[in-house]
Amino acid sequence: SRGLGDVYKRQVKADLDHAGIAANILAALGGKANVQKASCCATRLRFQLKDGAKVDEKALKSAGASGVIRSTPTACQVILGTQVRFVYEELQKLL
């Protein structure tokens, strides 16, 4: 049965700091070695990847993404909203 433990887990996930979100996003993209280029705009992280097949969209959404856009097999945009700049700053430290 679903109880307080489930609520607690969701709350912990919701409370992840920007560094934690950045680390989870990087892992969901296949790790540092899979990222060729990273940038951001007002609401999205933009990635050029070596292998687009390594992207785990479900994990990206679990990390806080409201959406994922795949315009080419190796391009990936992760929609985060207004917190994107803070997450991007933390992501830069990991790349």
Side-chain angles (χ1 to χ4, degrees):
S1 77
R2 297 176 65 149
L4 254 134
D6 292 325
V7 172
Y8 176 73
K9 287 177 198 166
R10 282 196 305 272
Q11 189 61 41
V12 168
K13 189 183 293 181
D15 288 344
L16 274 177
D17 60 11
H18 296 121
I21 294 169
N24 287 340
I25 287 173
L26 187 58
L29 292 172
K32 177 181 177 177
N34 198 35
V35 176
Q36 288 185 311
K37 197 166 106 181
S39 62
C40 76
C41 67
T43 60
R44 300 175 186 181
L45 293 172
R46 299 172 188 265
F47 297 95
Q48 190 62 43
L49 305 169
K50 293 177 184 168
D51 183 357
K54 291 184 177 179
V55 175
D56 182 343
E57 290 190 29
K58 190 174 179 182
L60 286 170
K61 289 182 180 177
S62 291
S66 60
V68 179
I69 298 171
R70 307 291 300 274
S71 54
T72 72
T74 57
C76 181
Q77 295 180 29
V78 180
I79 304 168
L80 287 178
T82 56
Q83 68 175 339
V84 72
R85 294 259 179 228
F86 304 110
V87 174
Y88 181 70
E89 286 173 12
E90 295 299 328
L91 185 68
Q92 288 299 105
K93 296 174 188 175
L94 301 172
L95 292 174

